[in-house]
């Protein structure tokens, strides 16, 4: 079989498409659906041959940010650490899905600027699920614990959550299925040449 220049160009373009990295940060309240949407999208991207990592906020807290509390300063430090790791992976061809609350606008903006300075694609997604829906979902039991007085500083209840003013995409997960939410994000990535 003879390989033509056109065949080689096709293979190179195909390979380049698969190694274009990006950070996709899903911000939103606890139990908004960030992680579920991230894993749904990760599966689709992986099946298509993309290199994908999900940086789960709980795992990061355990392994990378152990010892940090939930003060504003500690939350900022946590987000910056995650942003650093995400940019490092993305700059090496990985699609990095980051389902992390990141409650403060200035912290998220600092991560976006780091990516911009390095020339790495960054997509901010606001999973805009209302707090009353999140409290019913209560995946980790945080809302119940807060209501019972067992914990304080719950983002969106008794600690601030600064909603993104102009995210790249806003997903209202309470009005659509997980698959529909992931598909809308996939469509945006495709539009930007990232999927």
């Amino acid at each position: 079989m003879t390989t033509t220049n056109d065949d080689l160009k096709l293979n190179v373009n195909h390979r380049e498409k698969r190694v274009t990295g990006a950070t996709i940060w899903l911000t939103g309240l606890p139990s908004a659906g960030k992680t579920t949407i991230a894993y749904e999208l990760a599966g689709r991207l992986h099946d298509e041959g993309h290199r994908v990592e999900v940086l789960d906020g709980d795992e990061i807290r355990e392994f990378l940010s152990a010892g940090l509390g939930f003060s504003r300063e500690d939350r900022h430090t946590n987000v910056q650490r995650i942003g650093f790791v995400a940019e490092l992976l993305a700059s090496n061809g990985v699609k990095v899905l980051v389902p992390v609350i990141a409650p403060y606008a200035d912290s998220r903006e600092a991560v976006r600027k780091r990516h911009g300075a390095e020339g790495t694609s960054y997509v901010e997604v606001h999973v805009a699920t209302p707090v009353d829906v999140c409290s019913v979902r209560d995946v980790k039991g945080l809302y119940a614990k807060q209501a019972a007085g067992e914990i304080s500083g719950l983002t969106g209840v008794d600690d601030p959550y600064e909603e993104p003013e102009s995210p790249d995409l806003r997903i209202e997960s309470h009005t659509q299925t997980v698959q529909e939410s992931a598909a809308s994000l996939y469509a945006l990535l495709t539009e930007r040449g990232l999927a």
Side-chain angles (χ1 to χ4, degrees):
M1 184 174 158
T2 307
T3 304
T4 67
N5 282 340
D6 287 338
D7 291 334
L8 290 173
K9 285 179 188 172
L10 210 70
N11 287 336
V12 168
N13 289 338
H14 181 71
R15 190 169 38 249
E16 285 175 357
K17 178 182 177 189
R18 296 294 183 238
V19 297
T20 301
T23 294
I24 300 101
W25 197 296
L26 295 92
T27 177
L29 297 173
S31 297
K34 302 178 300 297
T35 302
T36 305
I37 294 166
Y39 277 106
E40 179 71 23
L41 179 60
R44 181 171 182 177
L45 291 171
H46 181 267
D47 289 348
E48 292 181 358
H50 296 272
R51 297 168 63 201
V52 184
E53 288 293 336
V54 177
L55 297 183
D56 181 87
D58 293 334
E59 291 176 359
I60 296 289
R61 278 254 176 209
E62 182 178 352
F63 297 108
L64 187 64
S65 293
L68 289 181
F70 291 91
S71 67
R72 184 180 181 109
E73 183 180 324
D74 281 358
R75 288 177 193 248
H76 179 78
T77 299
N78 184 50
V79 167
Q80 297 317 297
R81 288 179 183 177
I82 297 168
F84 173 79
V85 173
E87 195 284 321
L88 187 65
L89 289 168
S91 68
N92 283 282
V94 179
K95 300 291 188 305
V96 186
L97 300 167
V98 186
V100 173
I101 295 168
Y104 302 114
D106 60 343
S107 297
R108 295 190 304 265
E109 186 56 28
V111 171
R112 181 186 290 276
K113 283 182 179 173
R114 166 183 283 283
H115 280 71
E118 297 297 328
T120 305
S121 296
Y122 180 83
V123 178
E124 183 180 76
V125 180
H126 180 207
V127 183
T129 310
V131 69
D132 57 327
V133 174
C134 294
S135 66
V136 169
R137 290 180 181 172
D138 205 9
V139 178
K140 299 173 192 167
L142 297 175
Y143 292 92
K145 287 179 182 176
Q146 192 277 337
E150 296 172 24
I151 63 169
S152 62
L154 181 60
T155 302
V157 178
D158 59 353
D159 210 59
Y161 177 71
E162 299 170 357
E163 290 190 6
E165 291 181 13
S166 53
D168 298 291
L169 179 67
R170 192 176 312 278
I171 294 175
E172 298 191 3
S173 72
H174 57 294
T175 65
Q176 57 191 18
T177 67
V178 172
Q179 292 75 20
E180 289 168 338
S181 296
S184 66
L185 180 46
Y186 181 86
L188 175 64
L189 296 181
T190 301
E191 180 183 301
R192 295 192 176 182
L194 298 172

